[in-house]
Amino acid sequence: MRFHILTLFPEMVMNGLNTSIIGRAAAQGLLSLNAVNIRDYTLDKHGKVDDYPYGGGAGMLMQAQPVYDAYQAVVGKEKPRTIYVTPQGTPFTQKMAEEFAKEEELVFLCGHYEGIDERVLEEIVTDYVSIGDYVLTGGELPAMVMIDAISRLVPGVLNNEVSAETESFHNDLLEYPQYSRPEEWHGKKVPQVLLSGNHKNINQWRLEQSEERTAKRRPDLYVKYQEKKRIIKKLSRKKRENIHIMELLFRGNGEVLYHEGDNLLIFDRKSGAYFITAVDLEQGEKMCGLIPADAEMFVTSQEFLVELLCEQFRVRPGIQCVQACYTRKETLPVKYKDIRKLDESFLDYVAEHYHRGTREYLKERITDGAMYGAFDGERIIGFIGLHDEGSMGLLYVQEDYRLQGVAASLESFLINRQLEWGWTPYGQISVDNEPSKKLQEKLGLYLSAGNIWWLEQIRPLSGQG
Ligand code: ADE
């Protein structure tokens, strides 16, 4: 990840970021930090970068020319996302940090005085972002806050890979309290359950603590969490049919856009898919009215909605699937032992052998830490992964290694990992893929009676299968 920070105070940004974890990541080459002094680009012979606003008003404005020239000096032909940090922006969230972390290059523009001439903002800014409803003296601290939050999501920056998966804001809940040695301090004992070694009880206790803490400290988040919980409970009446929506919500993804009775519309920002269920055509049409006209992907288990969506949006039914759901809690034996998480050096291999997703999509799955490979020595012989909305898939085994249990081992491995995270593993199998359905049943997954459809925009496929 390459960060460029356009600022009047480059040393403030560099001093703030070039230490601790972010500094170490930069020294290792996982990140680069390039603070550019806007003043170096002014054409004014006195080094001036600001002037009075037309129409009057308090204070000075940063002028367009030096900002634009500083920007031009750092960007190449490909225009990177350019974030103007401003109290008038969209509030910064963890979800936004995750989205920005996928970029290879980001530009941050830090304002000062009363702001920046609107014309240059119109030309270069792609995102207006605020860190909260208060006004600071300049954009450097907000830019540093965002760069810190984004950097720690870049693979390799945090040593402890699971911490990013289970921490605060995951699942819409705040993190539970934590304790370290000694067992007693100031007369306060560490809760007994944490010393018990019983992971089921520990997880249960942590969940209760998270819920209690969220209800108390962040009632706004707790309301959302409770609604998701209610929806999950209702959907669990037909678990095999609904597992994809239940897991989407359980894992803390998916925004509920509409929920009334059994009518449900959820948007998953990560995959860009709208999940829709309606009791009748009229309700279906009502929910379609809430979806932007350029929506690219839909998931539904109702045939009448397939027709409606094809009529209303530029989509066609891509794949009709059954769902396979692993509802047991026991881990599965993994016969083929050498399975490892893949890094980007395996992208060519994955892209060469998996044709139902774009290279860009496969790269994103790898950098998300969602792809695992089976190895024979140092040679990769197959892989599996989690799709961006959470289902298992992306399975491939090299021809000369087939029928030896490699696919079953890859899937069992992925199931076991998800059980560790407290998830219910599931996959979606094309209705006519009999060998895969057989494999699912052999591993102890249950198949749904009903089908689900993915509907995709009319253009090359973008990543399901
Ligand atoms: N610049 C000044 N105040 C700010 C804030 N709250 N967020 C982002 N940029 C800012």
Side-chain angles (χ1 to χ4, degrees):
M1 168 70 83
R2 301 192 300 281
F3 293 105
H4 305 282
I5 307 102
L6 310 181
T7 168
L8 290 174
F9 300 97
E11 58 299 332
M12 174 177 177
V13 175
M14 292 312 279
N15 289 341
L17 289 173
N18 238 342
T19 49
S20 186
I21 295 176
I22 309 302
R24 189 186 63 206
Q28 288 172 345
L30 294 166
L31 312 168
S32 73
L33 300 164
N34 172 33
V36 176
N37 193 342
I38 294 171
R39 203 178 295 280
D40 290 346
Y41 291 87
T42 181
L43 298 178
D44 181 275
K45 57 179 184 291
H46 305 295
K48 207 163 75 80
V49 290
D50 60 326
D51 211 327
Y52 293 99
Y54 282 116
M60 307 286 269
L61 274 191
M62 277 167 74
Q63 291 168 286
Q65 175 275 318
V67 172
Y68 188 70
D69 288 357
Y71 168 81
Q72 288 294 356
V74 298
V75 303
K77 253 211 203 94
E78 294 265 322
K79 300 280 178 260
R81 277 177 88 165
T82 299
I83 300 151
Y84 177 42
V85 290
T86 165
Q88 290 137 40
T90 311
F92 186 61
T93 59
Q94 188 65 22
K95 288 241 149 59
M96 228 187 245
E98 284 163 19
E99 197 188 307
F100 286 135
K102 288 188 198 137
E103 303 290 326
E104 278 176 11
E105 190 172 30
L106 289 170
V107 178
F108 282 85
L109 172 59
C110 307
H112 258 271
Y113 315 116
E114 287 306 305
I116 302 182
D117 190 308
E118 191 68 20
R119 292 166 296 185
V120 67
L121 299 179
E122 281 169 10
E123 291 208 9
I124 69 173
V125 173
T126 56
D127 300 84
Y128 294 80
V129 188
S130 162
I131 62 161
D133 286 339
Y134 40 82
V135 183
L136 301 168
T137 54
E140 284 73 19
L141 285 169
M144 284 154 71
V145 166
M146 292 182 217
I147 290 170
D148 189 286
I150 296 164
S151 297
R152 61 190 289 291
L153 300 175
V154 170
V157 171
L158 289 187
N159 293 328
N160 178 2
E161 59 162 294
V162 280
S163 79
E165 280 159 3
T166 58
E167 65 201 338
S168 299
F169 295 108
H170 188 75
N171 256 343
D172 300 317
L173 288 177
L174 301 183
E175 202 176 5
Y176 43 80
Q178 303 247 49
Y179 304 86
S180 182
R181 280 202 282 199
E183 261 184 56
E184 187 172 331
W185 181 81
H186 277 203
K188 294 175 178 178
K189 291 202 168 106
V190 172
Q192 193 56 39
V193 63
L194 298 179
L195 311 174
S196 68
N198 181 331
H199 284 281
K200 195 165 161 243
N201 290 351
I202 293 173
N203 286 342
Q204 182 58 31
W205 181 86
R206 285 179 167 168
L207 177 64
E208 283 162 16
Q209 292 290 316
S210 283
E211 288 181 341
E212 220 171 88
R213 177 169 280 191
T214 310
K216 211 174 195 173
R217 297 186 189 172
R218 290 293 303 272
D220 56 323
L221 286 184
Y222 193 63
V223 168
K224 275 200 217 163
Y225 169 75
Q226 277 182 312
E227 184 184 28
K228 285 187 178 181
K229 236 174 117 168
R230 273 198 302 277
I231 296 173
I232 291 172
K233 190 155 178 226
K234 209 187 302 174
L235 293 173
S236 68
R237 283 179 292 182
K238 283 178 86 181
K239 195 166 187 176
R240 294 179 201 175
E241 273 64 30
N242 291 327
I243 189 67
H244 58 312
I245 310 179
M246 291 167 64
E247 281 298 295
L248 186 70
L249 296 177
F250 176 77
R251 298 176 195 180
N253 298 318
E255 188 188 337
V256 181
L257 299 183
Y258 185 79
H259 173 218
E260 208 212 10
D262 285 336
N263 299 296
L264 187 57
L265 175 64
I266 294 171
F267 176 56
D268 175 34
R269 198 204 308 219
K270 202 149 186 216
S271 60
Y274 290 82
F275 293 71
I276 180 167
T277 311
V279 295
D280 56 29
L281 195 60
E282 195 185 327
Q283 289 295 321
E285 279 171 351
K286 189 169 155 189
M287 285 189 277
C288 281
L290 303 173
I291 302 170
D294 59 355
E296 294 180 5
M297 214 167 340
F298 296 88
V299 186
T300 185
S301 52
Q302 294 167 297
E303 208 157 359
F304 73 93
L305 287 180
V306 173
E307 271 172 49
L308 176 68
L309 293 164
C310 287
E311 260 168 41
Q312 304 234 341
F313 300 90
R314 274 182 53 79
V315 291
R316 59 169 162 67
I319 314 165
Q320 186 179 343
C321 302
V322 291
Q323 301 218 85
C325 173
Y326 188 83
T327 47
R328 300 184 1 223
K329 293 284 170 256
E330 308 88 69
T331 54
L332 289 168
V334 181
K335 185 175 128 199
Y336 205 92
K337 292 274 180 285
D338 198 357
I339 297 175
R340 304 176 216 156
K341 191 179 267 195
L342 295 183
D343 64 29
E344 258 190 72
S345 63
F346 294 99
L347 176 59
D348 284 342
Y349 180 86
V350 172
E352 188 187 327
H353 296 291
Y354 189 83
H355 306 292
R356 291 164 84 177
T358 59
R359 188 179 168 87
E360 195 189 337
Y361 177 72
L362 298 171
K363 183 173 168 200
E364 180 212 284
R365 299 323 304 132
I366 291 176
T367 52
D368 251 16
M371 298 286 303
Y372 296 88
F375 287 79
D376 183 358
E378 278 318 293
R379 212 157 68 86
I380 182 167
I381 57 163
F383 52 80
I384 195 166
L386 289 170
H387 280 293
D388 52 6
E389 93 296 356
S391 63
M392 295 185 287
L394 302 147
L395 178 63
Y396 168 79
V397 175
Q398 209 163 286
E399 213 155 321
D400 43 340
Y401 284 88
R402 290 196 190 148
L403 300 173
Q404 297 171 34
V406 179
S409 294
L410 280 164
E411 187 168 337
S412 300
F413 177 91
L414 191 55
I415 286 174
N416 294 349
R417 289 236 62 186
Q418 293 177 85
L419 292 179
E420 267 171 48
W421 302 332
W423 297 359
T424 302
Y426 73 96
Q428 293 162 350
I429 300 116
S430 184
V431 286
D432 47 16
N433 188 347
E434 292 304 328
S436 177
K437 284 198 231 167
K438 281 221 176 71
L439 172 64
Q440 306 313 316
E441 292 189 312
K442 199 176 119 201
L443 294 177
L445 289 88
Y446 293 109
L447 297 182
S448 62
N451 296 330
I452 68 160
W453 286 262
W454 279 83
L455 294 111
E456 299 180 34
Q457 203 181 45
I458 303 174
R459 70 177 161 114
L461 276 176
S462 69
Q464 279 307 308

